């Protein structure tokens, strides 16, 4: 039997809005999806079974644009249009930290070693787009790089 006939589609039910990002864990066993309605879902990639949803209590329901997962799949970072980036515990689904921004964010990246977080901030009023680098242990911004 050839591989094309052995493939079967997997239906992921769990988002009520358009998807904005799909991200595999480094091992490929887990799949993270985000949507414009503010949800981050976690799935088993082999069968599409939903493991859970990451949600902040009391958080505004703004579009989550992007996620990144660290090498050991213990932490997940999210970029949102509610002017925050968040760091999550993958096993529990609980928010570890929140990073306040001055505008919405479309992209986030966890640095190797899990000590820094890079966040792309959208332009806002008279501010241009920038990359903000945070120290995740202190939750403090350590560098801001303005974009032309």
């Amino acid at each position: 039997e050839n591989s094309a006939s052995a493939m079967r589609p997997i239906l992921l039910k769990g988002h009520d809005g358009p998807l904005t990002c799909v991200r595999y864990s480094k091992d490929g066993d887990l799949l993270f999806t985000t949507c414009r309605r503010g949800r981050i879902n976690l799935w088993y990639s082999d069968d599409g079974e939903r493991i859970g949803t990451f949600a902040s209590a009391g958080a505004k329901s703004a579009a989550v644009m992007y996620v990144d997962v660290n090498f050991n799949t213990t932490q997940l970072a999210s970029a949102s249009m509610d002017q925050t980036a968040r760091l999550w515990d993958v096993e529990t689904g609980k928010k570890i930290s929140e990073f306040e921004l001055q505008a919405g964010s479309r992209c986030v990246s966890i640095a190797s070693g899990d000590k820094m977080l890079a966040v792309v901030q959208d332009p806002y009023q008279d501010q241009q787009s920038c990359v903000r680098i945070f120290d995740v242990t202190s939750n403090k911004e350590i560098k801001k790089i303005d974009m032309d």
Side-chain angles (χ1 to χ4, degrees):
E1 184 173 51
N2 71 32
S3 62
S5 64
M7 282 182 41
R8 63 177 180 80
I10 295 174
L11 179 62
L12 304 176
K13 289 185 177 183
H15 288 291
D16 58 355
L19 291 182
T20 54
C21 180
V22 176
R23 182 85 177 184
Y24 271 112
S25 63
K26 303 297 184 225
D27 292 334
D29 58 336
L30 301 174
L31 193 63
F32 299 87
T33 57
T34 65
C35 78
R36 290 203 173 270
R37 300 262 197 269
R39 282 202 185 95
I40 304 168
N41 284 328
L42 174 59
W43 317 82
Y44 288 115
S45 62
D46 62 345
D47 63 5
E49 179 184 346
R50 186 167 61 163
I51 299 168
T53 301
F54 296 81
S56 291
K60 296 176 267 181
S61 182
V64 178
M65 302 305 292
Y66 197 83
V67 290
D68 190 28
V69 62
N70 70 347
F71 185 79
N72 297 324
T73 315
T74 56
Q75 295 179 342
L76 179 76
S78 62
S80 178
M81 295 310 287
D82 68 356
Q83 300 181 354
T84 64
R86 294 184 178 94
L87 196 61
W88 306 85
D89 182 296
V90 171
E91 187 176 345
T92 66
K94 296 195 183 313
K95 181 177 65 172
I96 298 170
S97 4
E98 186 169 282
F99 304 89
E100 295 290 329
L101 306 170
Q102 296 163 335
S105 176
R106 294 183 188 274
C107 192
V108 65
S109 180
I110 301 173
S112 180
D114 304 342
K115 294 187 181 354
M116 292 186 295
L117 189 71
V119 183
V120 175
Q121 180 178 290
D122 278 357
Y124 177 71
Q125 294 179 351
D126 62 343
Q127 299 176 28
Q128 58 194 38
S129 182
C130 65
V131 176
R132 297 178 67 185
I133 312 291
F134 292 93
D135 178 319
V136 299
T137 54
S138 69
N139 285 3
K140 297 205 184 307
E141 184 175 344
I142 55 175
K143 187 182 278 191
K144 181 180 175 189
I145 304 164
D146 290 327
M147 308 304 286
D148 288 334

